[in-house]
């Protein structure tokens, strides 16, 4: 799957370069550095691909864990239903443990979701920061030429 994403990134980069070259030729834009523009956009495409990959991996991990929790809960219920001769105290203890288990599972899934979303956000944030720093540098170097 990763090779296919890389191939898609390469195709997108090639198409972008062709379009920017046509644009520069059509409008006769002097000093337009097509390669620098393409490189910047290629990095954006790579960052978005990485973010999508992390999102998919996070969703798969969360789904897998939900399935594991469902299986464990089903086994607990099966055991409880098999042994219907529980006293009131035993029933209360069983209910308390089931509630605590469900609460712990919910926390775990929430933590997994936060972690996955944080990783995706960090990939996008890093790329945006790099772009803004590059624009800032270009702007500041352009001010000295006045």
């Amino acid at each position: 799957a990763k090779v296919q994403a890389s191939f898609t990134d390469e195709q997108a980069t090639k198409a972008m370069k062709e379009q920017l070259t046509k644009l520069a030729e059509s409008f006769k834009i002097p000093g337009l550095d097509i390669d620098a523009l393409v490189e910047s956009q290629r990095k954006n495409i790579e960052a978005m691909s990485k973010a999508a990959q992390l999102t998919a991996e996070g969703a798969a991990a969360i789904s897998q864990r939900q399935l594991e929790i469902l299986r464990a809960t089903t086994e607990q219920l099966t055991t409880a239903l098999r042994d219907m001769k529980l006293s009131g105290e035993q029933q209360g203890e069983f209910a308390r443990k089931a509630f605590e288990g469900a609460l712990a599972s919910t926390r775990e899934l929430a933590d997994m979701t936060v972690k996955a979303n944080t990783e995706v956000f960090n990939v996008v944030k890093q790329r945006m920061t790099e772009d803004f720093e590059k624009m800032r540098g270009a702007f500041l170097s352009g001010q000295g030429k006045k």
Side-chain angles (χ1 to χ4, degrees):
K2 198 169 191 177
V3 174
Q4 186 178 7
S6 178
F7 181 70
T8 302
D9 292 351
E10 289 173 20
Q11 284 181 327
T13 302
K14 182 179 176 187
M16 190 181 344
K17 185 170 185 172
E18 289 172 5
Q19 291 300 315
L20 288 171
T21 301
K22 286 179 187 176
L23 179 70
E25 289 170 359
S26 296
F27 291 101
K28 306 213 184 312
I29 302 171
L32 182 61
D33 187 349
I34 300 289
D35 289 331
L37 282 171
V38 169
E39 179 62 16
S40 174
Q41 293 309 306
R42 183 189 61 75
K43 288 180 180 179
N44 289 342
I45 291 168
E46 286 175 358
M48 292 302 117
S49 293
K50 180 67 175 173
Q53 178 186 355
L54 289 171
T55 299
E57 289 171 0
I62 291 166
S63 295
Q64 178 64 34
R65 186 62 187 127
Q66 284 178 321
L67 182 59
E68 291 168 2
I69 291 167
L70 178 61
R71 284 183 183 144
T73 302
T74 301
E75 287 174 17
Q76 288 175 350
L77 288 173
T78 302
T79 301
L81 292 174
R82 213 176 28 228
D83 187 12
M84 295 297 282
K85 298 177 185 172
L86 297 175
S87 68
E89 186 178 317
Q90 289 171 325
Q91 289 175 359
E93 180 64 17
F94 178 78
R96 183 184 64 77
K97 285 183 180 179
F99 176 75
E100 288 174 357
L103 190 57
S105 297
T106 301
R107 281 190 203 119
E108 179 184 358
L109 292 172
D111 289 345
M112 288 176 74
T113 301
V114 167
K115 182 179 182 241
N117 289 339
T118 299
E119 289 174 357
V120 170
F121 174 76
N122 286 338
V123 167
V124 175
K125 182 179 110 180
Q126 179 182 350
R127 183 64 206 132
M128 289 178 67
T129 300
E130 289 170 5
D131 266 353
F132 287 131
E133 286 301 315
K134 209 170 207 178
M135 285 189 285
R136 184 176 157 266
F139 177 74
L140 291 177
S141 69
Q143 283 185 335
K145 295 180 182 179
K146 287 184 180 181

